[in-house]
Amino acid sequence: MKNVGLFFGSFNPIHFGHLAVAEFFNQQSELEEVWMVISPQNPFKNQDELMENHHRLAMVELAIENNPKFKTCIEEFNLPKPNYTIDTLQHMETKYPDHQFTLLLGEDNVAYFDGWKDYQQILDDFQIYVYPRSESEKIKSEFLNHPKIKFFHASLLEVSGTKIRETIKNKKSLSDLIPTSVKNYIQKNNPYN
């Protein structure tokens, strides 16, 4: 069984924070690969701010092209919308029976994990690795002590897609927020218009 971490996100756009989390789990766990699962329609997010799928996919591919342990995953592009994690996980298990999948989450997601569709099913069937986030709300004790949820200690990251979109809107430098290849793509293709 290949052990793969699934890192779900809108990646709107992918930034150094995403890449640091993926690299952290690549280095600090037994995962053989990290797949960036690009979500076309997260039920918790405003769709009006999302770039088109092909732009987000292109930028993820550019950002990870030099790391053979990172892969893009567009399985959700062909699944019913909105995209619920449990549906995608079950689809992935069926499509890749020789893979063992681990869900990679930011700590902020665990704070409201019981609001996810069929969250108990996810806990029953999958391991969850959690990366710390500074803006996290209080996490319920049932998740803090759950045998399927493993919390990791790491540096806190302060980069967000919202901050990057504001930076672009205000025509400020993106150099410390996103890879050069992604910055060049945004400048060339203007995907926010």
Side-chain angles (χ1 to χ4, degrees):
M1 296 282 276
K2 179 181 272 191
N3 200 347
V4 174
L6 297 178
F7 187 3
F8 288 76
S10 299
F11 301 111
N12 190 45
I14 190 166
H15 52 66
F16 284 134
H18 295 130
L19 295 170
V21 170
E23 185 58 39
F24 174 83
F25 285 120
N26 179 42
Q27 297 287 332
Q28 302 297 323
S29 72
E30 73 293 345
L31 298 175
E32 296 171 64
E33 293 179 348
V34 174
W35 293 5
M36 309 293 206
V37 184
I38 304 164
S39 298
Q41 189 175 349
N42 180 325
F44 295 108
K45 292 200 173 176
N46 179 355
Q47 294 307 114
D48 296 338
E49 296 179 354
L50 278 183
M51 285 180 277
E52 293 178 28
N53 292 345
H54 71 278
H55 286 307
R56 292 183 287 131
L57 170 61
M59 287 186 280
V60 171
E61 288 177 338
L62 286 168
I64 67 173
E65 65 185 348
N66 295 320
N67 192 326
K69 292 200 169 187
F70 295 168
K71 310 279 185 209
T72 54
C73 178
I74 59 169
E75 295 295 330
E76 287 195 337
F77 286 17
N78 301 311
L79 294 176
K81 312 295 182 285
N83 301 104
Y84 292 101
T85 302
I86 185 61
D87 298 335
T88 305
L89 290 170
Q90 290 173 338
H91 166 81
M92 299 289 277
E93 271 192 321
T94 302
K95 184 168 181 177
Y96 302 97
D98 57 340
H99 289 50
Q100 177 179 320
F101 293 108
T102 298
L103 184 57
L104 308 179
L105 294 180
E107 195 174 50
D108 51 327
N109 287 306
V110 181
Y112 62 92
F113 188 65
D114 56 350
W116 290 28
K117 178 186 175 187
D118 298 333
Y119 79 94
Q120 192 59 57
Q121 183 78 45
I122 297 173
L123 288 172
D124 290 344
D125 296 344
F126 298 92
Q127 183 75 37
I128 299 174
Y129 289 173
V130 181
Y131 192 93
R133 293 289 301 265
S134 60
E135 71 273 15
S136 295
E137 297 174 27
K138 186 167 174 55
I139 296 173
K140 296 180 174 131
S141 60
E142 67 178 294
F143 299 137
L144 280 173
N145 303 309
H146 197 283
K148 289 284 195 80
I149 301 178
K150 181 176 181 181
F151 289 83
F152 286 77
H153 297 285
S155 301
L156 295 175
L157 300 169
E158 301 298 336
V159 184
S160 72
T162 302
K163 179 179 179 183
I164 291 168
R165 291 189 296 278
E166 287 173 4
T167 301
I168 292 168
K169 186 178 176 183
N170 295 324
K171 298 186 178 358
K172 294 185 179 175
S173 173
L174 293 166
S175 301
D176 59 337
L177 303 173
I178 60 177
T180 301
S181 57
V182 175
K183 180 184 77 168
N184 292 342
Y185 183 94
I186 291 171
Q187 289 173 343
K188 180 180 178 183
N189 295 282
N190 199 12
Y192 288 101
N193 289 336

